Amino acid sequence: MESSDLGWRALAKRQWPLATALLLFMGLEASNFDDGRMWWQVPGSVALFVIAVLAPRRPFDAALAAAAALVASSVLLRWLHVAPAPQMFISGAVFSEVAASMAIVATVVRQATPWRAVLGTTAVLGGIAAAEKLRLSYQLERWQYSEPLSVYYFGGTILLLLSVGTGLYFRARDRDRVRVVEREITAAQDAERMALARELHDVVAHYVTAIVVHSQAGQLNAQAAQQVLPIITQSGNEALTAMRRLVGTLRGASPTGAPPSDLADDVRRLAEESGQPVRLSFDLSVQVPPELGRSVLRLVQESLTNSRKHAHGVSSVDVSLSTSDGHVHVLVEDDGDGQSHAPVGGSGGYGIVGMRERVELLGGTFFAGRREPRGWTVRASLPIA
């Protein structure tokens, strides 16, 4: 959970409250200086301030650097015989240093691995203990008064628990956030897979089925072959065009800028390509948006493909498109005998499933089933809005 790649802008956005609080503590401490020598405590406070603000980038290294800074500052103050300003029950490090150390402990517990968190926290505690041992006591220097160790240990324990508890809280929250993001990514990937599967099934299966049906017809005799070869060529070209369009969409290619085609004309073209006795009925009093029209076209396309593959003895396929009550209604019915047989090219069993998913994703209703006395019905209603 290290964050060494955290950018400077993100770091500033995350750490500015801490930086402001530490600067405030340092200012309050400076206002209580009554001896010019006490300014020698500022370098240590500044070093801890910088380390605490930059800690999210390399938490474990920050903990080690904080411990080193506390020891070095304590040695300097001891050598200069300077007693830091009084800090409530803290007799070693000044309050700004303690606050910065608490922030560093919270950061290393939040972001580092468990063992590094333990080692980093121990290092910071060692630095605080060194400050308590090496530095002179302000109270002892001024008033010959020293706080009892019980007060120091009690206060230090409270601050340590606050630091570790804060780090554990944010660590758990970060873990939950990662899990949520991973679930969202997985759900988005699954949705994209399903959309791609539907598009491949609806587009490719339609044209490939047409190629297989006409090639089977061409095997009957030479005259039939001459008639179906142009249809097979056209279906193959249409399949290649559809595949290129789909690949371009997946690659994020920009639209070609061609004007959107008319839904009724597209359905007529599908009916002609299907080679079935299709009867069309249109009552499109409201303009259907191109995005919705594409889904309607896929429903009609898959219904015609299923009728060609699964139905026997079809004398007519009725395709009706209408708009009313803010919905576009799609109805495809055939009068096949419905006898069970092996469809052309086999069946993956995903056609009706894909149609139902497409309609439900758009907030519509879908039905597919047998009709009386014979045949098959596909009915869908999609909201135009």
Side-chain angles (χ1 to χ4, degrees):
M1 299 178 67
E2 299 279 348
S3 300
S4 58
D5 59 343
L6 187 65
W8 292 107
R9 180 175 297 180
L11 181 68
K13 184 177 180 180
R14 171 175 167 177
Q15 295 293 88
W16 72 264
L18 173 64
T20 302
L22 293 179
L23 288 175
L24 177 62
F25 295 151
M26 292 169 62
L28 292 176
E29 290 168 356
S31 65
N32 291 325
F33 289 171
D34 56 4
D35 185 344
R37 294 185 307 161
M38 294 177 65
W39 284 96
W40 284 105
Q41 78 181 41
V42 174
S45 298
V46 172
L48 267 293
F49 166 82
V50 174
I51 295 171
V53 172
L54 299 181
R57 290 181 62 87
R58 301 183 67 90
F60 181 69
D61 294 343
L64 299 182
L70 283 167
V71 172
S73 176
S74 300
V75 171
L76 175 65
L77 293 176
R78 181 76 179 190
W79 180 61
L80 295 174
H81 200 76
V82 175
Q87 304 297 327
M88 299 182 293
F89 51 78
I90 305 299
S91 58
V94 298
F95 191 73
S96 60
E97 292 176 323
V98 172
S101 299
M102 291 176 63
I104 294 169
V105 169
T107 301
V108 75
V109 171
R110 175 183 182 178
Q111 296 182 215
T113 60
W115 276 110
R116 284 189 162 219
V118 172
L119 293 176
T121 302
T122 303
V124 175
L125 291 178
I128 295 290
E132 168 65 18
K133 186 68 176 177
L134 295 175
R135 296 184 183 184
L136 299 176
S137 170
Y138 182 91
Q139 287 89 342
L140 187 60
E141 286 284 311
R142 302 291 176 173
W143 301 311
Q144 301 299 313
Y145 168 73
S146 177
E147 295 172 338
L149 290 178
S150 60
V151 175
Y152 173 76
Y153 290 145
F154 176 78
T157 302
I158 294 297
L159 297 181
L160 175 62
L161 292 177
L162 286 175
S163 304
V164 174
T166 301
L168 291 176
Y169 167 76
F170 282 106
R171 186 184 187 93
R173 198 180 70 169
D174 293 342
R175 187 183 299 112
D176 292 340
R177 184 184 295 113
V178 169
R179 289 173 180 171
V180 170
V181 171
E182 289 176 348
R183 286 197 296 266
E184 292 177 350
I185 292 175
T186 301
Q189 290 174 339
D190 291 341
E192 288 297 327
R193 290 193 195 98
M194 296 303 297
L196 178 59
R198 283 192 298 271
E199 199 68 16
L200 286 172
H201 182 278
D202 294 348
V203 175
V204 179
H206 172 76
Y207 292 114
V208 173
T209 299
I211 293 173
V212 174
V213 169
H214 289 99
S215 63
Q216 289 178 342
Q219 293 175 0
L220 298 178
N221 55 67
Q223 183 177 2
Q226 293 297 324
Q227 295 175 351
V228 299
L229 282 177
I231 300 176
I232 293 175
T233 301
Q234 181 181 359
S235 297
N237 289 331
E238 292 288 348
L240 288 174
T241 301
M243 287 295 294
R244 292 192 186 102
R245 187 183 303 114
L246 180 59
V247 171
T249 301
L250 293 175
R251 288 182 174 272
S254 58
T256 59
S261 57
D262 182 73
L263 176 59
D265 292 339
D266 290 338
V267 173
R268 292 190 184 95
R269 180 177 55 81
L270 281 178
E272 294 174 358
E273 293 175 353
S274 69
Q276 300 178 84
V278 180
R279 296 186 300 189
L280 301 174
S281 175
F282 300 109
D283 184 15
L284 302 175
S285 57
V286 178
Q287 180 67 32
V288 179
E291 297 81 2
L292 181 60
R294 181 183 179 185
S295 295
V296 171
L297 192 64
R298 293 290 178 257
L299 293 174
V300 174
Q301 186 180 59
E302 177 60 22
S303 299
L304 292 177
T305 300
N306 286 342
S307 177
R308 177 192 297 156
K309 292 174 64 175
H310 297 280
H312 274 173
V314 176
S315 62
S316 66
V317 180
D318 295 320
V319 177
S320 173
L321 300 182
S322 62
T323 54
S324 62
D325 302 326
H327 288 70
V328 55
H329 305 282
V330 182
L331 178 63
V332 181
E333 296 180 322
D334 65 54
D335 58 354
D337 57 19
Q339 295 179 359
S340 177
H341 67 285
V344 174
S347 175
Y350 299 112
I352 294 179
V353 174
M355 287 192 289
R356 186 183 302 277
E357 289 177 346
R358 185 186 294 273
V359 171
E360 291 178 351
L361 284 173
L362 294 173
T365 58
F366 176 83
F367 170 80
R370 298 187 181 277
R371 57 180 296 213
E372 295 298 336
R374 55 181 284 167
W376 187 265
T377 297
V378 174
R379 184 169 59 249
S381 178
L382 301 169
I384 297 178

